[in-house]
Amino acid sequence: MDFAGVVVAAGSGSRAGAGSAKQWRALGGRPVLRWSVEALLDAGAAEVVVVIPAGADAEAAGALEGLRRWRTVAGGATRTDSVRAGLDAVRIDETAAVLIHDAARPLLAGSVVSRLLKALAQADAALPVLPVADSLKRDGGGVSAGAVERDGLVRAQTPQAFRLAPLRAAYAAWPDDAAATDDVAVFEAAGGRVALVQGDSALMKLTYPEDFAMAEALIAWETRMGLGLDAHRWGPGDIVWICGVPICHHQTLVGHSDADAGLHALTDAILGAIGDGDIGDHFPPSDPQWKGARSDQFLVHAVERVRARGGRLVNVDVTLVCEQPRIKPHRAAMKARLAELLDLPLDAVSVKATTTEGMGFAGRQEGLAAQAIAAVALPVRPAS
């Protein structure tokens, strides 16, 4: 079924504590808003309208950088006003579906979207719900005023799914001065029928500061490994760069940049771990701007690509293969430089060296080779 998404992210999030509004804060290394928009796009949304505070276009662009099929619209003074603005901006066919979702519920699984769309085959609206597990009490001014019967009660979540035309009609009929608890309340007030589908306990709402810690604990991480290999030949010179450290030597390594084989191999390892091509894709040797360039900027770029996906480096290991120069006297400096560039503790960085016992190009002292491996942790969006 064709559908569009409307992600409501126009609130100030004042109850979430000091700092930026909660939709811009990091969760699992990604902005909270990005989780919801990515989930809807991955589930097949033809478009996603993101309702943001007026003047927050730069924040939204930064949070959603690299994603497609989304655009923003300024929200209103109330959630009802914001949803109306989002619905007005939806360009999908009137007979299609629209999912209204709160950005404050970032851990949206594709299976929830699938259940909602399936339910729309038999109804004009669908709502994900969870049973009420806790006993309910009525507050009588600080003392219990008796139990509340929980049979037949459920907890409502978002996204809430609707046929677009009936939902627009329901909002057109809703009084401007009336507050709505959610979109289903507006729809039911217009006589609409709402089907219930199974929700997801991970689809919690971020309201208070402690909710962020709980959400972080729900995020799964996967570890990926990348392997890099690089080699450069020896040529005339008096300084050689290896793993970001200059070493006085009677030769230098020849290359388009500074020919730091250690950094090149490590850059490829990190890019490989996230499936993002290799160093030549990002810094082509045919481009004159990289002539003689320091390779530490290549490595920093690879780390930034990891962070852009919400990931983090776990550890790296570099093995240098050469007969010359002697690496051991410089190994501590190399580890320190890599730790600085990668923002890793020293015990997460390894630099080793070996020879080929006189065999091959390295053994004949024609060049130096480097091999690197990198472990990267990436957050995984819920799938069930």
Side-chain angles (χ1 to χ4, degrees):
M1 178 182 293
D2 290 338
F3 75 97
V6 173
V7 177
V8 184
S12 63
S14 57
R15 290 178 293 176
S20 59
K22 60 189 174 185
Q23 61 266 44
W24 316 126
R25 296 187 191 180
L27 177 69
R30 303 177 187 175
V32 166
L33 174 62
R34 189 181 185 95
W35 285 87
S36 296
V37 176
E38 274 193 348
L40 290 170
L41 291 174
D42 287 352
E47 61 176 3
V48 176
V49 175
V50 185
V51 188
I52 60 173
D57 299 87
E59 289 90 339
L64 304 177
E65 182 180 3
L67 301 182
R68 299 180 179 180
R69 307 196 311 277
W70 64 272
R71 62 184 180 279
T72 60
V73 63
T78 66
R79 185 184 185 281
T80 301
D81 293 335
S82 294
V83 173
R84 279 177 169 149
L87 288 174
D88 288 344
V90 170
R91 298 172 184 166
I92 201 167
D93 188 89
E94 288 282 314
T95 61
V98 62
L99 272 61
I100 313 296
H101 185 53
D102 292 334
R105 296 182 185 270
L107 302 184
L108 172 60
S111 55
V112 174
V113 175
S114 296
R115 290 194 290 270
L116 289 168
L117 295 177
K118 183 177 180 180
L120 288 184
Q122 305 296 326
D124 285 333
L127 171 69
V129 298
L130 290 175
V132 177
D134 297 325
S135 296
L136 299 178
K137 303 292 183 182
R138 198 174 301 279
D139 185 352
V143 297
S144 175
V148 176
E149 179 58 53
R150 68 186 182 191
D151 287 348
L153 295 180
V154 291
R155 297 159 48 201
Q157 298 182 308
T158 71
Q160 298 177 1
F162 307 86
R163 297 285 184 174
L164 180 55
L167 181 62
R168 278 178 167 164
Y171 263 100
W174 185 260
D176 291 337
D177 58 351
T181 56
D182 62 5
D183 309 294
V184 161
V186 174
F187 194 74
E188 288 178 324
R193 174 177 174 270
V194 181
L196 302 184
V197 304
Q198 179 185 342
D200 186 350
S201 58
L203 197 50
M204 62 177 291
K205 186 176 182 181
L206 301 177
T207 303
Y208 303 105
E210 58 268 26
D211 295 336
F212 281 80
M214 294 178 63
E216 288 280 358
L218 292 173
I219 297 173
W221 292 81
E222 67 176 8
T223 300
R224 295 187 179 184
M225 309 297 292
L227 182 67
L229 177 66
D230 193 51
H232 287 276
R233 61 185 175 84
W234 289 111
D238 54 12
I239 292 179
V240 57
W241 286 88
I242 305 177
C243 290
V245 173
I247 300 173
C248 292
H249 193 55
H250 65 276
Q251 288 181 301
T252 191
L253 293 172
V254 179
H256 186 66
S257 62
D258 61 9
D260 190 326
L263 293 191
H264 293 181
L266 188 50
T267 300
D268 268 352
I270 295 170
L271 292 173
I274 60 173
D276 198 13
D278 60 28
I279 193 171
D281 295 325
H282 295 261
F283 304 97
S286 58
D287 190 335
Q289 70 173 308
W290 308 121
K291 179 68 174 176
R294 288 280 299 276
S295 296
D296 52 5
Q297 64 186 305
F298 305 160
L299 185 64
V300 170
H301 171 80
V303 175
E304 290 173 348
R305 300 287 286 188
V306 172
R307 290 174 179 160
R309 296 184 56 179
R312 61 174 183 263
L313 274 176
V314 178
N315 71 295
V316 299
D317 187 9
V318 179
T319 299
L320 302 167
V321 184
C322 59
E323 300 287 338
Q324 56 157 331
R326 291 187 66 236
I327 299 301
K328 189 172 183 179
H330 308 282
R331 189 164 59 185
M334 292 177 182
K335 284 189 59 173
R337 180 57 177 158
L338 291 179
E340 178 185 11
L341 291 171
L342 301 172
D343 194 21
L344 284 176
L346 275 176
D347 63 359
V349 177
S350 173
V351 176
K352 307 187 301 293
T354 189
T355 71
T356 60
E357 300 292 339
M359 296 179 292
F361 74 89
R364 294 190 297 269
Q365 301 189 39
E366 297 171 358
L368 177 148
Q371 180 173 291
I373 190 168
V376 171
L378 293 176
V380 181
R381 190 167 51 249
S384 61

